[in-house]
Amino acid sequence: MEISKEQVEHVAKLARLEVSENEKAMFARQLSAILTYMDQLKEVDTEGVEPTATVLPTENVFREDAVKPSLTQERALANAPDQADGFFRVPKILEDR
Amino acid sequence: MNLRRLTLFELKDKFLKGEVSAVEIVKAYFQRLMLAESKVKAYITTAKKDALVKEANELDYSLSKWRKTMPLMAMPIAVKDNICTEGVKTTCGSRMLENFVPPYDATVVARMREHGCYLIGKTNMDEFAMGSSTENSAFGPTRNPWNLAYIPGGSSGGSAAAVAAELCVAALGSDTGGSIRQPAACCGVVGLKPTYGRVSRYGLVAFASSLDQIGPITRDVRDAAVMIQMIAGHDPLDSTSADMPVPDYTKALKENLRGMKVGVPLEFFAEGLDPEVELAVRTAIIQMQALKAEIKEISLPMTKYAIATYYLIATAEASSNLARYDGVKYGYRAPKEKGLLEMYMKTRQEGFGAEVKRRIMLGTYALSAGYYDAYYGKAQAVRTLIKRDFDEAFKEVDVIVTPTMPTPAFKLGEKLQDPLQMYLSDIYTISVNLAGVPAISLPCGLSSRKLPIGLQIIGRPFEEEKVLRAAYAYEQASEWHLKRPSL
């Protein structure tokens, strides 16, 4: 499987990763090699085989909907890169008119 | 007597009998840290000596008044830096979390603290546990205590090196595709990956949630049994932790293998296996036969597809799990970005290292429209077949014995430019995570370059007892666990 520079750009955007020109060329080369290796899975007959998402028996795990102590606002915000008035602060989302 | 040479079992016995004090233990380990840590670089963060000596003094004093003991009391234990420790930096080996101080303890850490252990430090690792050599740490590589020019394995390379270099008495690591067992093999120590669900993952920074599991890295098999006893069991805070009773693991340890059927999968002794490793593992199998085990050749035909399957599933899960690093709630944020989207993209470009980005890209690609069925969906179906291989094999045998790694440790830098070659070093450990079964790695030889060789023993789900028993019987009949690096 060959991955083009354009595909790298597309995937990087989906992953919210800015990539430099150097990285684009490097990722295109490395991902092509890795995906070519992955292509060997095509030779496995998986017709009618259920996918495995987890090895555990999947069942709902319930708990009582009870109020319990939790992190204070101050502690929850302690690692925030930026905060104001008890909120996480982010760069402006809306354009100025 | 050199305290730091003792196993966890021996040290805690001496301490609980009052033959050594907490202060003596703490001082012995800090002395060792002073001497050897600058060479090995096993830690990202170490405990403060004065504070720990003070705590040990108070403990010794209170014990002299009122003897109330706990099983890990005064034991200096190291924890991999992707396991949250309240008030102590947890970096995941990443710039992204360089200054992250968790507001809570992971369940395993809380349990070990309740049992009285001292947290001696947070160990180095490949960034977000992605790697097989600990060279992907943003804070520089850890070195193999047996030969400083070689890698300690990864991603729990810091934990394995710390145990081997006597920089802690035991450690915790995490294993998503071999990250406990492979470094244990490289460093000549014991590493146990429990069954998926045996140990709570609450507070373990997520890499691939359907594969991740926390486990111990120790000097010998008995110590591994002691450690898993401390951390196993159901946790209401992790819905994937199994609500099953925890057996007494040290009671499972016996000196023979009578009645035990041991499978040897022919696919694990194929092309690419280093002859010295093969010889050491085959010799170990002969010794197990001498201990009355019944040896049986078996087949795990899907083994050759395990790496491709793993690197699609693990990266897909990682791309989703690592979406949380957006520079908003915690972690690094790129400075002075005007818009939110630019902030996200720059933050992630600057905060993540090359291997993490590569895996996020691969996982995002495998999950993206048009490729999901061909890659991620296909890999999940092959995972079912890999698991079936193990189910079939375990109808005939109790445990499966293989090499842990195809070669001994390689040199620093040797595989750094070729990610696919690096991935191939996980070939024997990876299918265990895909199947969710428990496995241990223990020393079974030294190469001609005096580098350790690891033996892997795999068991049925929730049969850690049999894995530990097989490992213990072999270990007691050999002497590899007594060898230490001359550092």
Side-chain angles (χ1 to χ4, degrees):
Chain A
M1 186 77 194
E2 279 302 312
I3 301 293
S4 65
K5 244 172 79 176
E6 289 69 36
Q7 277 174 300
V8 169
E9 280 169 15
H10 172 67
V11 173
K13 204 172 165 193
L14 292 177
R16 297 289 184 266
L17 263 180
E18 188 159 308
V19 282
S20 65
E21 281 305 312
N22 270 346
E23 282 176 314
K24 279 179 208 168
M26 182 185 75
F27 284 141
R29 185 167 44 80
Q30 291 176 337
L31 294 180
S32 296
I34 294 167
L35 285 164
T36 302
Y37 178 83
M38 305 304 188
D39 279 340
Q40 62 174 299
L41 292 186
K42 287 184 183 147
E43 63 192 58
V44 185
D45 180 9
T46 51
E47 188 67 37
V49 177
E50 284 292 312
T52 296
T54 170
V55 292
L56 292 174
T58 41
E59 52 186 44
N60 264 326
V61 178
F62 294 105
R63 62 166 172 77
E64 289 304 312
D65 188 17
V67 177
K68 285 182 184 170
S70 61
L71 287 185
T72 61
Q73 190 178 35
E74 192 190 331
R75 279 162 72 79
L77 284 164
N79 280 289
D82 196 6
Q83 53 168 301
D85 308 325
F87 292 94
F88 297 107
R89 185 155 65 187
V90 296
K92 202 184 285 185
I93 295 169
L94 301 172
E95 296 286 324
D96 288 320
R97 277 191 168 259
Chain B
M1 179 187 53
N2 203 336
L3 288 182
R4 61 178 166 80
R5 296 216 85 112
L6 301 177
T7 67
L8 173 66
F9 189 89
E10 292 162 349
L11 186 65
K12 81 191 189 88
D13 184 59
K14 283 208 181 300
F15 176 74
L16 296 177
K17 281 184 183 151
E19 292 170 20
V20 293
S21 69
V23 170
E24 285 173 303
I25 294 170
V26 167
K27 284 190 170 165
Y29 273 95
F30 273 101
Q31 196 180 20
R32 180 64 177 167
L33 276 168
M34 286 271 290
L35 200 79
E37 169 58 8
S38 61
K39 296 180 199 161
V40 178
K41 296 188 166 68
Y43 290 100
I44 292 174
T45 305
T46 47
K48 291 193 173 59
K49 187 184 172 188
D50 295 349
L52 216 48
V53 170
K54 187 165 172 274
E55 208 181 318
N57 248 319
E58 285 164 6
L59 176 64
D60 288 334
Y61 179 75
S62 73
L63 284 176
S64 70
K65 297 278 163 207
W66 182 50
R67 225 170 153 76
K68 178 183 179 290
T69 60
M70 294 178 278
L72 291 181
M73 205 174 235
M75 296 299 111
I77 289 175
V79 172
K80 188 178 181 179
D81 213 20
N82 60 349
I83 300 173
C84 285
T85 41
E86 184 176 349
V88 179
K89 248 183 359 174
T90 299
T91 70
C92 282
S94 181
R95 290 277 167 228
M96 191 61 97
L97 292 176
E98 190 170 2
N99 299 308
F100 176 64
V101 179
Y104 65 96
D105 271 335
T107 296
V108 291
V109 173
R111 285 188 182 168
M112 292 206 313
R113 287 201 214 260
E114 281 162 25
H115 289 122
C117 91
Y118 290 148
L119 177 64
I120 189 155
K122 301 295 296 286
T123 55
N124 198 15
M125 56 184 281
D126 287 297
E127 185 177 4
F128 287 100
M130 297 178 187
S132 312
S133 68
T134 315
E135 291 167 295
N136 293 333
S137 168
F139 309 109
T142 293
R143 289 165 185 276
N144 193 316
W146 290 82
N147 185 330
L148 299 174
Y150 285 78
I151 58 130
S155 67
S156 311
S159 286
V163 173
E166 299 169 351
L167 296 164
C168 63
V169 68
L172 289 183
S174 70
D175 191 317
T176 306
S179 283
I180 286 174
R181 291 159 286 153
Q182 187 259 23
C186 287
C187 292
V189 293
V190 173
L192 173 65
K193 184 207 89 81
T195 309
Y196 184 80
R198 181 73 288 185
V199 175
S200 168
R201 293 182 295 113
Y202 179 74
L204 170 67
V205 178
F207 159 13
S209 307
S210 80
L211 304 163
D212 297 341
Q213 191 64 196
I214 296 171
I217 297 179
T218 55
R219 304 259 168 84
D220 66 11
V221 176
R222 189 168 53 181
D223 280 5
V226 170
M227 284 290 282
I228 189 177
Q229 198 76 51
M230 299 295 137
I231 59 173
H234 181 244
D235 176 14
L237 297 173
D238 173 7
S239 67
T240 64
S241 75
D243 197 356
M244 286 171 70
V246 178
D248 186 335
Y249 291 110
T250 45
K251 274 203 182 132
L253 308 178
K254 294 203 180 98
E255 307 242 324
N256 67 68
L257 294 172
R258 206 177 299 279
M260 197 172 258
K261 289 186 188 138
V262 175
V264 180
L266 54 108
E267 291 83 1
F268 283 64
F269 293 86
E271 200 193 324
L273 177 59
D274 179 281
E276 284 191 319
V277 175
E278 174 159 13
L279 180 64
V281 172
R282 293 236 183 248
T283 307
I285 292 167
I286 292 167
Q287 278 176 280
M288 292 176 90
Q289 196 163 21
L291 292 164
K292 309 287 184 217
E294 184 188 328
I295 310 293
K296 237 180 139 155
E297 199 156 272
I298 58 161
S299 176
L300 297 168
M302 299 304 289
T303 301
K304 62 186 275 210
Y305 302 111
I307 287 188
T309 304
Y310 172 86
Y311 277 95
L312 287 167
I313 290 174
T315 57
E317 292 186 23
S319 75
S320 166
N321 270 327
L322 271 62
R324 75 192 64 184
Y325 302 103
D326 57 3
V328 175
K329 299 173 295 300
Y330 45 78
Y332 176 77
R333 176 189 288 191
K336 297 189 213 93
E337 285 308 318
K338 286 204 183 71
L340 190 64
L341 187 62
E342 294 99 280
M343 188 280 278
Y344 288 157
M345 297 193 58
K346 266 267 181 251
T347 291
R348 291 164 65 79
Q349 180 188 34
E350 293 169 9
F352 291 136
E355 180 61 23
V356 172
K357 287 183 201 173
R358 190 153 42 235
R359 295 203 194 185
I360 290 174
M361 294 285 290
L362 186 58
T364 305
Y365 179 81
L367 290 175
S368 66
Y371 299 100
Y372 183 98
D373 289 338
Y375 288 103
Y376 184 63
K378 184 78 181 180
Q380 283 192 314
V382 180
R383 183 178 184 182
T384 304
L385 299 177
I386 290 170
K387 188 171 180 303
R388 264 186 216 165
D389 267 6
F390 280 96
D391 293 344
E392 285 305 309
F394 281 128
K395 285 180 188 163
E396 292 186 48
V397 296
D398 297 301
V399 293
I400 296 171
V401 175
T402 77
T404 306
M405 203 185 162
T407 63
F410 42 90
K411 276 200 167 130
L412 263 88
E414 195 179 314
K415 297 191 180 182
L416 215 46
Q417 297 312 315
D418 191 345
L420 191 55
Q421 278 307 310
M422 187 77 93
Y423 297 172
L424 292 175
S425 70
D426 301 337
I427 189 157
Y428 299 140
T429 47
I430 242 165
S431 50
V432 164
N433 299 75
L434 291 167
V437 293
I440 200 167
S441 177
L442 70 160
C444 73
L446 281 176
S447 74
S448 48
R449 290 200 174 112
K450 296 275 171 288
L451 290 165
I453 296 170
L455 178 75
Q456 178 173 241
I457 302 176
I458 309 166
R460 295 189 191 106
F462 299 101
E463 289 194 358
E464 280 80 2
E465 286 167 287
K466 276 189 187 146
V467 171
L468 287 162
R469 179 185 161 192
Y472 182 75
Y474 166 72
E475 179 191 77
Q476 293 306 301
S478 72
E479 55 187 35
W480 301 110
H481 65 294
L482 301 174
K483 305 243 185 266
R484 298 284 171 84
S486 52
L487 188 68

